[in-house]
Amino acid sequence: MELSVIINIVGITAYSLLAIFFLWVMLVPNILSRTFFWLISVLAILFGRLNLYFLPEYLAQQEIQTIYMFLLIVEKVFLVLGLYYFFNKRISLNYYVKVFSFAITAFVLIIGLKYGADASFIAMIVFSTCQAFFLLYIMKMLYQKKKHMYLNQPFFILSLFVFYAIHWLTYPIALNYPLWLTYGYLFGNVLNLIIYLYLAYLVLERFQYRMLKAETSALELLDEAKKANRTKSEFLANMSHEIRTPINGVMGMLELLQDAEMKTEYKEKINIAFTSSKILLDVVNEVLDYSKIEAGKLSLEYIEFDLINLFTEVFHTMENLANNKALSLTLDTDLIISRHVKSDPLRIKQILFNLIGNAIKFTEEGEIIVKAEQVHKANVDYLVCSIIDTGVGIDEDKLATVFESFQQADSSTTRNFGGSGLGLSISKQLSQLLKGDITVESVENQGSKFTVTIPLEIIEDFTFESTELDTTDIPKWQENTKILLVEDNRINQVVAIQLLKSFNLVCDVAENGAIAIAKLKLSLRIDTPYTCILMDCQMPTLDGYETTKRIRSGECGGLYKKIPIIAMTANAMTGDREKCLATGMNDFISKPIEREVMSKVLKSWISEK
């Protein structure tokens, strides 16, 4: 078999594989136009090789040569266009016109010389010069973009174009020397294949570059998202502190005023103001809970509790709201077989408060039924609680969106009934965190039925002990009981002092941690030690965390290393309680301070007579 035939077979095989490669790359999104030109280029030279291999039996040598010239010019045209687009991402119409005009002019001149003037040798010189020009032009483009050639030493590839151009310029002379022509044909094919392999390498390197860039961008976006999340958490923590501080002042004073002797009309106004401040606090808590759930930082606490007592507490709390609207609120717990269970009672209460509160809010007349039962299914015990109302109902088209954040069934709902639009969303997500769910059935203008299903662990051997403390009676403390209140905000100082005064407790005030440490040291010198410390966390000069660490280290004396320190802070974000306990504090009270909560905590840490 002749060398030229072997070269053609190898060339046909190689260019077929390259065509498949560029076709495969075209299937990748956003890469179509980058390899489209090179696919045409490879197909052109592939057809050129097929022309040389199969057509000699059917066409004269002169026609085969002409077809081959045409296909090689087409190949170089699309080779140029493909490389230009690869580096520049777009091709102007003017550039298309220039490239095609040059190629068409060259081919017309070749045809004219070959068939019109019978000057085949000159036509071959024109063709060879055209091929050399295209190759040198490609080399120029690569040289200008050598930083994007993905090669440490681009000189080798650039020199190949020079050698290949020289090969074409000497081609008309080689036609007269068979040996030169044969090995020149081999040399030219090898160079051409190397060029196409380099183009394939460019495509693959571009893929790798983009993948690395995409990975880097993804990591940067992840870092930005984490930074944004941290910023949001810090913002919410700060806003929680700033909002809760004035609410604490308002609610504290109103709660103290409720116990004062005054006219009924004034008492009613104070009750309205106190209720309004609690509603405002509920909205703040909803936003904070939503942010915790969204960030995946809401903690659950699985403890044993009495399910019947939980429903009774919720019922008595919501009963007044229903009575104020002349609504009948009914609780049915007859189908609760095992009252002693294990789950998160705080979150279950929150779900029930939201659902029952919504039922009361959206019901103008009629009744609300809370029906609870236990269901055993697939070896799992479930609490199934239905809240059925005769309220405004929900349009069927809006049922799918009622659990979405900041959504209500109708835009007019917000105006008529108020609310943040977070209650149902939070309840749904809380139930799912508890591995349960909430469903809804509703008919507009007839009412709604919300059903919450939550898995429970039944506790067989359970002795329920009531942990509720009687906060109505003022306790009798040990003599010389003395509180140190560490608080920088004047309003919070007044509220706390008045609350402690109502419990027959006296206190000293320190505006920051540094003053608190000084007062503790002084108290030992004058032999009037403090019994308990109420510690704010965010203060100027020295905050509550650092102050607690220094007290626990013994800086204020050995007596105070184990003194009860109760955090009393407006911070209510996830981790705030844990942070307080980790620094050495014993307990945590979230502002606004409720009288009952304050009494319960103080009784836990201060000895009574």
Side-chain angles (χ1 to χ4, degrees):
M1 186 179 291
E2 293 183 6
L3 181 60
S4 60
V5 176
I6 296 173
I7 294 170
N8 267 335
I9 293 173
V10 173
I12 289 169
T13 304
Y15 291 121
S16 297
L17 293 174
L18 283 167
I20 292 170
F21 170 76
F22 287 124
L23 181 62
W24 170 75
V25 172
M26 281 176 58
L27 300 178
V28 179
N30 302 322
I31 307 297
L32 175 63
S33 52
R34 296 293 178 94
T35 56
F36 171 74
F37 298 106
W38 287 340
L39 176 62
I40 295 176
S41 180
V42 169
L43 290 175
I45 196 167
L46 178 60
F47 289 144
R49 293 290 180 268
L50 292 171
N51 163 65
L52 294 176
Y53 189 74
F54 291 107
L55 294 184
E57 296 181 12
Y58 308 101
L59 296 176
Q61 184 64 31
Q62 189 173 6
E63 278 67 34
I64 291 174
Q65 192 179 66
T66 304
I67 294 171
Y68 187 62
M69 288 180 180
F70 170 75
L71 290 172
L72 286 189
I73 290 173
V74 170
E75 179 227 358
K76 296 301 185 296
V77 166
F78 282 94
L79 202 61
V80 168
L81 291 175
L83 193 62
Y84 186 89
Y85 192 83
F86 186 84
F87 286 130
N88 298 290
K89 299 182 180 179
R90 62 182 299 274
I91 301 176
S92 65
L93 180 62
N94 186 47
Y95 191 81
Y96 276 115
V97 170
K98 286 181 179 179
V99 174
F100 280 106
S101 296
F102 176 80
I104 292 170
T105 301
F107 187 69
V108 169
L109 183 59
I110 291 168
I111 295 298
L113 290 169
K114 190 171 183 179
Y115 293 99
D118 196 22
S120 296
F121 184 73
I122 298 174
M124 187 59 68
I125 292 174
V126 172
F127 168 71
S128 298
T129 305
C130 176
Q131 291 291 298
F133 176 81
F134 275 124
L135 289 168
L136 293 173
Y137 183 72
I138 292 171
M139 185 197 73
K140 177 189 172 185
M141 281 197 292
L142 287 172
Y143 180 77
Q144 290 174 340
K145 300 287 184 178
K146 58 180 179 291
K147 290 183 180 179
H148 303 285
M149 287 179 66
Y150 303 107
L151 293 172
N152 293 328
Q153 297 295 333
F155 174 77
F156 172 73
I157 288 293
L158 295 174
S159 63
L160 286 182
F161 283 94
V162 175
F163 287 129
Y164 199 16
I166 294 171
H167 161 77
W168 273 114
L169 290 173
T170 60
Y171 179 67
I173 302 172
L175 289 173
N176 298 316
Y177 302 93
L179 189 62
W180 185 355
L181 181 63
T182 300
Y183 285 99
Y185 187 51
L186 174 63
F187 178 71
N189 274 277
V190 170
L191 292 179
N192 209 49
L193 277 174
I194 292 173
I195 289 171
Y196 275 102
L197 289 173
Y198 171 67
L199 295 180
Y201 167 79
L202 269 183
V203 172
L204 292 175
E205 283 297 309
R206 175 65 65 89
F207 276 158
Q208 185 177 7
Y209 169 76
R210 285 184 171 179
M211 288 174 65
L212 290 172
K213 189 176 180 181
E215 184 179 355
T216 303
S217 298
L219 291 173
E220 289 175 354
L221 288 173
L222 180 62
D223 288 340
E224 289 178 8
K226 288 180 178 178
K227 184 178 178 182
N229 195 45
R230 284 195 300 270
T231 303
K232 183 179 75 172
S233 297
E234 290 170 3
F235 170 77
L236 286 170
N238 289 332
M239 287 305 297
S240 167
H241 185 273
E242 294 303 320
I243 293 172
R244 284 170 174 271
T245 296
I247 293 177
N248 177 54
V250 172
M251 290 185 67
M253 286 302 171
L254 290 172
E255 192 170 17
L256 289 169
L257 281 172
Q258 285 179 322
D259 296 332
E261 293 293 331
M262 64 180 68
K263 292 181 180 179
T264 304
E265 59 178 305
Y266 294 141
K267 201 146 193 163
E268 184 180 350
K269 290 175 181 177
I270 288 170
N271 288 336
I272 292 172
F274 184 72
T275 303
S276 299
S277 64
K278 289 196 73 172
I279 292 171
L280 176 59
L281 181 61
D282 288 341
V283 173
V284 173
N285 288 336
E286 278 190 350
V287 174
L288 291 175
D289 281 340
Y290 177 75
S291 68
K292 293 175 192 175
I293 294 171
E294 190 183 44
K297 294 181 178 179
L298 189 75
S299 58
L300 300 176
E301 184 182 25
Y302 287 90
I303 58 174
E304 298 175 0
F305 64 97
D306 188 313
L307 191 57
I308 298 292
N309 282 359
L310 182 144
F311 273 100
T312 303
E313 288 174 20
V314 172
F315 175 76
H316 287 316
T317 303
M318 305 305 292
E319 191 176 25
N320 287 333
L321 291 176
N323 290 339
N324 289 339
K325 293 185 70 174
L327 298 173
S328 171
L329 179 63
T330 304
L331 174 64
D332 181 1
T333 58
D334 291 342
L335 295 179
I336 292 181
I337 303 167
S338 302
R339 62 188 294 168
H340 303 132
V341 297
K342 188 175 183 180
S343 185
D344 189 329
L346 178 64
R347 299 306 173 188
I348 293 175
K349 275 185 181 181
Q350 190 173 354
I351 293 168
L352 293 174
F353 279 134
N354 274 332
L355 294 179
I356 299 171
N358 264 10
I360 294 171
K361 182 194 297 185
F362 295 107
T363 302
E364 293 302 322
E365 59 181 17
E367 64 176 350
I368 295 147
I369 299 172
V370 180
K371 184 176 182 179
E373 60 180 311
Q374 284 173 333
V375 176
H376 187 79
K377 184 168 57 177
N379 296 322
V380 179
D381 292 292
Y382 292 91
L383 166 65
V384 180
C385 180
S386 298
I387 293 88
I388 307 161
D389 65 60
T390 55
V392 295
I394 304 169
D395 183 41
E396 188 176 354
D397 295 337
K398 305 292 175 57
L399 283 175
T401 61
V402 292
F403 292 110
E404 293 181 7
S405 305
F406 307 106
Q407 293 291 325
Q408 291 187 330
D410 196 311
S411 58
S412 61
T413 299
T414 305
R415 294 193 298 271
N416 295 334
F417 299 98
S420 64
L422 286 173
L424 287 178
S425 174
I426 290 171
S427 298
K428 177 86 168 179
Q429 293 180 72
L430 283 175
S431 64
Q432 290 174 345
L433 284 172
L434 291 166
K435 299 180 181 179
D437 202 2
I438 298 178
T439 58
V440 58
E441 303 170 32
S442 186
V443 178
E444 195 170 12
N445 298 321
Q446 292 186 27
S448 302
K449 177 183 177 182
F450 285 84
T451 303
V452 56
T453 304
I454 295 172
L456 299 171
E457 181 183 343
I458 303 298
I459 306 299
E460 300 295 344
D461 300 323
F462 178 84
T463 303
F464 181 75
E465 297 180 3
S466 177
T467 57
E468 289 193 19
L469 297 172
D470 184 7
T471 57
T472 56
D473 296 331
I474 299 174
K476 295 180 179 179
W477 313 103
Q478 295 280 356
E479 291 183 9
N480 302 321
T481 298
K482 191 177 179 183
I483 308 294
L484 177 61
L485 172 65
V486 189
E487 170 66 67
D488 64 310
N489 185 279
R490 175 59 184 162
I491 296 173
N492 289 339
Q493 289 174 6
V494 173
V495 171
I497 291 169
Q498 293 297 323
L499 273 174
L500 292 171
K501 186 177 179 181
S502 71
F503 299 141
N504 288 337
L505 287 170
V506 294
C507 73
D508 288 340
V509 177
E511 286 75 17
N512 57 58
I515 297 175
I517 288 174
K519 283 182 176 286
L520 289 169
K521 291 178 179 179
L522 179 62
S523 69
L524 293 180
R525 290 183 193 143
I526 61 176
D527 198 24
T528 56
Y530 293 102
T531 311
C532 180
I533 301 173
L534 297 178
M535 182 77 71
D536 187 23
C537 292
Q538 291 187 356
M539 295 178 291
T541 309
L542 191 64
D543 64 31
Y545 303 115
E546 186 60 31
T547 304
T548 301
K549 289 178 182 177
R550 289 170 67 170
I551 293 171
R552 295 304 187 206
S553 70
E555 182 176 331
C556 301
L559 181 66
Y560 290 130
K561 290 177 75 171
K562 294 191 176 182
I563 186 174
I565 301 178
I566 300 167
M568 193 175 67
T569 176
N571 293 341
M573 296 297 290
T574 300
D576 289 329
R577 179 184 180 86
E578 290 75 11
K579 185 177 179 182
C580 291
L581 298 179
T583 55
M585 299 182 194
N586 300 95
D587 215 330
F588 180 96
I589 300 175
S590 178
K591 298 174 184 175
I593 301 166
E594 296 181 16
R595 179 186 176 89
E596 185 177 347
V597 174
M598 171 76 90
S599 174
K600 184 177 179 179
V601 172
L602 290 174
K603 286 181 179 182
S604 299
W605 296 102
I606 302 177
S607 299
E608 300 178 56
K609 285 185 179 179

